Amino acid sequence: MKTPSAITAMSRVIALGIGVLLGQGASAQIDPLPSWNDGPAKKAIVEFVQTTTTNGSPKFVPPAERIATFDQDGTLWVEQPMYSQVMYCLDRVPALVEAKPELAKVEPFKTVMSGNREAIAKLPEAELIKILAATLTGMSVETFNAEAKKWIETARDPRWKRPYTELTYLPMQEVLKFLRANGYKTYIVTGGGQDFVRVYSEATYGIPPEQVVGTAGGTKYGYGKDGKPFLSKEPKLLLNDNNAGKPEGIHLMIGRRPVAAFGNSTGDRQMLEYTKAGGGARLAMLLLHDDARREYAYGPAQGLRDTKVGAFTQALYDEAKTKGWVVISMKDDWKKVFAFE
Amino acid sequence: MKTPSAITAMSRVIALGIGVLLGQGASAQIDPLPSWNDGPAKKAIVEFVQTTTTNGSPKFVPPAERIATFDQDGTLWVEQPMYSQVMYCLDRVPALVEAKPELAKVEPFKTVMSGNREAIAKLPEAELIKILAATLTGMSVETFNAEAKKWIETARDPRWKRPYTELTYLPMQEVLKFLRANGYKTYIVTGGGQDFVRVYSEATYGIPPEQVVGTAGGTKYGYGKDGKPFLSKEPKLLLNDNNAGKPEGIHLMIGRRPVAAFGNSTGDRQMLEYTKAGGGARLAMLLLHDDARREYAYGPAQGLRDTKVGAFTQALYDEAKTKGWVVISMKDDWKKVFAFE
């Protein structure tokens, strides 16, 4: 039979063991954001996590409500010179034309097959949408997943000649892990295709498919020749997860207002507004691409040009200042941009 | 300084402590399904969990892929004599008519206001949909949540005179907990309104809002008079989460095929087919309402009448037998139906 003091000692040991496993205790010594320079951005993240997860804090957020949402393109990984999903769709065109040779003479497929990069870059949005619809739909979910997975494993970005999945920002990966270690559920809320991002989100960000909200098309349930049921991807838009579509998508897919949100362009404006408008502690952050040497400089860093990719306007910058969103300067706030540096 | 043996002993104590906390070790002694009679249904559940969660088992399912989906009405709680959400909508009509008096003279609101139960029960589906649209949309998400929450807390079911949330099936609550204790993520996949079920799912089933997939309408992002952003519920159907809509909704909201699925009517057929058609161990279960004394008897228990609520046909029953879905007999398999018995 154990004595009371032996039980107390054992309880302490167990509590200590669990604390270490959960990353507590150690947090005082180890910097959770080693790739961040000290400054207002890092301070805002650390303080937000401490305030919302310390028991007894007036701004404590119960674990079930700890939801953090992240835009992907330009917030978690490189979006220049073109969204990687658009690269995927363009890369799929030759196989599509092989299967349907009549497309070779039809625009926009003709231009894509010409290989003329300048002409491809100039394709209007309506034509790009035709390419997206043709390469992302009309197949089973399994076929799409297999094709996208193969591409993600083999494609290389034009500047660094590396898989796109290596072009994630190390400091943001640290934020994802830091939040999760403190009980936050991390979600991607992307204008990109939900099915596309789900293919690599778990391996790349530690974010499971069910925590990816994105632009989503419909599927159709049916039966194959073998009688087995399958879902085919239909060219029907269910959710355009950009701009106002982001809070709408968050409501549809999560059903709670996030406590923290991260973005980098006008497409994230409403998500940041919606997040910040909730009660209690809220963190809204906007990543500024001002580092042409290590990554790219665009938006306000380049006189606020309204770029095709990652639009960032003066109005957005002003709103950030007015509403207390924290602007992250890639140049000043990040010690390292990529893990491979 | 600690000796190696002291460290080993400490590790054992920590491992033991964590094991107990996670519910391991104890599982060999404690029956996880005490409200179930021994029989093929209980056996199927216990064996499924053992096979899919035992390391080294040929049918082991990695924790990330442990997804189990549950229909709600008639599977997790009572659906007779009418879905509780329909009761909610009918109960909302007086307040609606007070706000818009012109509706008092218009069908179907006129019939609802008459209080004539027989006439109300006979309203055709198209008229019911008008009531649903009028009482579930045209307000902010926050207003809807507050109204639904108030109703759920105060409304009483006509037979047991208890809150609807007490009319959940104890044996199914045990299955939910048993699966979660073994690393499964449990989802509700309901034909009912997603926003409605999310209001009480966490308190009632331990299922958070983000794990409720249901029939969903669109929302619209806008700004209030105070300049604050809000989402209003629109009368626009995004997902009809019934029949083929269930696997389609699962793909949209979860993005993985479930390993286990539970239903009770033809509306769950495709979800059960889709779940069972995946590779490896799969569990598909169909609850048969054959207990008029303790709950209700309908479907096959009553000569397979195609009831308005919880339709269960001979074809569904045959498919269950052919495809290896396990039929749960409420009368034979459940020791207790409700916790309050």
Side-chain angles (χ1 to χ4, degrees):
Chain A
M1 199 182 162
K2 293 186 188 73
T3 62
S5 70
I7 290 169
T8 308
M10 195 192 283
S11 307
R12 273 204 209 110
V13 170
I14 292 171
L16 179 72
I18 293 164
V20 169
L21 281 177
L22 296 179
Q24 290 163 359
S27 63
Q29 286 103 47
I30 300 172
D31 181 356
L33 302 173
S35 301
W36 290 72
N37 289 316
D38 287 331
K42 180 174 182 172
K43 192 162 172 264
I45 300 166
V46 173
E47 283 187 357
F48 169 79
V49 170
Q50 283 172 348
T51 324
T52 58
T53 62
T54 304
N55 259 310
S57 152
K59 292 187 171 173
F60 180 77
V61 176
E65 290 167 28
R66 293 182 196 162
I67 302 284
T69 56
F70 293 80
D71 168 57
Q72 185 193 221
D73 295 302
T75 299
L76 292 179
W77 75 356
V78 175
E79 65 181 349
Q80 299 286 2
M82 205 179 260
Y83 300 125
S84 55
Q85 189 182 357
V86 175
M87 298 296 288
Y88 169 75
C89 294
L90 294 174
D91 283 357
R92 290 294 309 154
V93 169
L96 184 71
V97 168
E98 203 182 322
K100 296 181 185 173
E102 67 276 16
L103 289 179
K105 293 168 200 158
V106 182
E107 288 298 353
F109 306 98
K110 196 176 158 186
T111 297
V112 177
M113 291 303 286
S114 75
N116 181 336
R117 281 173 178 251
E118 266 182 54
I120 295 169
K122 278 181 192 155
L123 283 171
E125 200 177 313
E127 296 288 283
L128 264 183
I129 286 172
K130 280 185 201 167
I131 296 169
L132 266 57
T135 52
L136 299 174
T137 70
M139 69 203 75
S140 76
V141 162
E142 282 73 21
T143 301
F144 171 80
N145 285 351
E147 283 174 1
K149 189 169 183 285
K150 197 174 148 194
W151 185 85
I152 271 288
E153 286 167 0
T154 54
R156 295 291 179 271
D157 141 273
R159 176 167 160 191
W160 288 274
K161 319 288 182 208
R162 287 175 178 272
Y164 290 94
T165 49
E166 288 186 19
L167 298 181
T168 66
Y169 307 130
L170 181 62
M172 294 306 289
Q173 292 275 17
E174 291 171 0
V175 173
L176 287 171
K177 283 184 191 135
F178 182 41
L179 286 170
R180 288 198 292 260
N182 285 280
Y184 276 87
K185 255 190 179 173
T186 54
Y187 282 80
I188 289 174
V189 177
T190 174
Q194 183 168 280
D195 283 352
F196 184 77
V197 178
R198 281 174 168 174
V199 167
Y200 57 83
S201 63
E202 191 147 32
T204 307
Y205 303 111
I207 294 179
E210 60 269 26
Q211 284 165 227
V212 174
V213 179
T215 296
T219 56
K220 194 171 161 33
Y221 183 82
Y223 302 89
K225 281 174 194 162
D226 56 1
K228 282 205 173 181
F230 73 102
L231 293 169
S232 53
K233 287 173 66 67
E234 299 285 293
K236 186 181 77 175
L237 186 67
L238 283 186
L239 172 66
N240 180 355
D241 199 48
N242 280 299
N243 307 306
K246 289 208 174 191
E248 291 162 9
I250 287 168
H251 178 72
L252 176 67
M253 309 279 292
I254 311 176
R256 305 190 199 253
R257 193 193 294 250
V259 189
F262 300 76
N264 81 302
S265 81
T266 50
D268 304 312
R269 185 167 73 87
Q270 290 87 344
M271 174 171 76
L272 295 168
E273 287 174 351
Y274 181 64
T275 300
K276 193 74 178 164
R282 300 280 155 169
L283 181 65
M285 299 192 87
L286 198 56
L287 174 59
L288 179 64
H289 293 263
D290 56 0
D291 195 333
R293 189 179 61 80
R294 295 189 299 176
E295 201 241 13
Y296 293 97
Y298 53 104
Q302 291 293 311
L304 292 164
R305 277 190 322 189
D306 189 352
T307 51
K308 206 170 176 180
V309 165
F312 196 131
T313 60
Q314 184 64 46
L316 185 68
Y317 202 65
D318 292 346
E319 186 169 353
K321 297 289 169 195
T322 317
K323 299 212 170 132
W325 306 349
V326 181
V327 176
I328 302 165
S329 159
M330 187 176 274
K331 185 156 58 74
D332 298 332
D333 287 314
W334 289 0
K335 262 183 211 152
K336 279 180 83 169
V337 175
F338 303 111
F340 58 77
E341 276 172 15
Chain B
M1 200 181 161
K2 292 186 188 72
T3 61
S5 71
I7 290 170
T8 309
M10 196 191 283
S11 307
R12 274 205 209 110
V13 171
I14 292 171
L16 179 72
I18 293 165
V20 169
L21 281 177
L22 296 178
Q24 291 163 0
S27 63
Q29 287 103 46
I30 299 172
D31 181 356
L33 303 173
S35 302
W36 290 71
N37 289 316
D38 288 330
K42 180 174 182 172
K43 193 162 171 267
I45 300 166
V46 173
E47 283 187 358
F48 169 80
V49 169
Q50 282 173 349
T51 326
T52 57
T53 62
T54 305
N55 260 309
S57 153
K59 293 188 171 174
F60 180 77
V61 176
E65 290 167 27
R66 294 184 196 160
I67 301 284
T69 55
F70 292 80
D71 167 58
Q72 185 192 221
D73 295 302
T75 299
L76 292 179
W77 75 357
V78 175
E79 65 181 349
Q80 299 284 4
M82 205 180 257
Y83 300 124
S84 54
Q85 190 182 358
V86 175
M87 298 295 288
Y88 169 75
C89 293
L90 294 174
D91 282 357
R92 290 293 309 154
V93 170
L96 184 72
V97 169
E98 201 182 325
K100 296 180 185 174
E102 66 276 18
L103 290 179
K105 293 169 200 158
V106 183
E107 288 298 354
F109 306 100
K110 196 175 156 186
T111 297
V112 177
M113 291 303 286
S114 76
N116 181 336
R117 279 172 180 251
E118 266 183 55
I120 295 169
K122 279 182 192 155
L123 283 171
E125 200 177 313
E127 296 288 283
L128 264 184
I129 287 171
K130 280 185 202 167
I131 296 170
L132 266 58
T135 52
L136 299 174
T137 69
M139 68 203 75
S140 76
V141 162
E142 281 74 20
T143 301
F144 171 79
N145 286 351
E147 283 174 1
K149 189 168 184 286
K150 197 175 150 195
W151 185 85
I152 271 290
E153 286 167 358
T154 54
R156 295 293 179 270
D157 144 89
R159 177 167 160 190
W160 288 274
K161 319 286 181 208
R162 288 175 178 273
Y164 290 94
T165 49
E166 288 186 20
L167 298 181
T168 66
Y169 305 131
L170 181 61
M172 294 305 289
Q173 292 274 18
E174 292 171 0
V175 173
L176 288 171
K177 284 186 191 136
F178 182 42
L179 286 170
R180 289 198 292 260
N182 284 281
Y184 277 87
K185 254 189 181 174
T186 54
Y187 282 80
I188 289 174
V189 177
T190 174
Q194 182 168 281
D195 283 351
F196 183 77
V197 179
R198 280 173 168 175
V199 166
Y200 56 83
S201 63
E202 192 148 31
T204 307
Y205 303 110
I207 294 178
E210 59 269 26
Q211 285 166 225
V212 174
V213 179
T215 296
T219 56
K220 194 171 164 28
Y221 183 83
Y223 302 89
K225 281 174 194 160
D226 57 0
K228 283 206 172 181
F230 73 102
L231 293 170
S232 53
K233 286 173 67 68
E234 299 284 294
K236 187 180 77 174
L237 186 67
L238 283 186
L239 172 65
N240 180 354
D241 200 48
N242 280 299
N243 307 306
K246 288 210 173 189
E248 292 163 8
I250 287 169
H251 178 72
L252 176 67
M253 309 279 293
I254 310 177
R256 304 191 200 251
R257 193 193 294 253
V259 189
F262 299 76
N264 81 303
S265 81
T266 51
D268 304 313
R269 186 167 73 88
Q270 290 87 343
M271 175 172 76
L272 295 168
E273 287 174 351
Y274 181 65
T275 300
K276 194 73 179 166
R282 300 280 154 170
L283 181 66
M285 299 193 87
L286 198 55
L287 175 59
L288 180 64
H289 292 262
D290 56 0
D291 195 333
R293 189 179 61 79
R294 295 188 299 177
E295 202 240 13
Y296 293 97
Y298 53 104
Q302 291 294 311
L304 292 163
R305 276 192 320 191
D306 189 352
T307 50
K308 206 171 177 180
V309 165
F312 196 133
T313 60
Q314 185 64 46
L316 184 68
Y317 202 65
D318 293 346
E319 186 170 353
K321 296 290 169 192
T322 317
K323 299 212 169 132
W325 306 348
V326 182
V327 176
I328 303 165
S329 158
M330 186 176 273
K331 185 155 58 75
D332 299 332
D333 287 315
W334 289 359
K335 260 183 214 154
K336 278 180 84 168
V337 175
F338 303 111
F340 58 77
E341 277 172 16

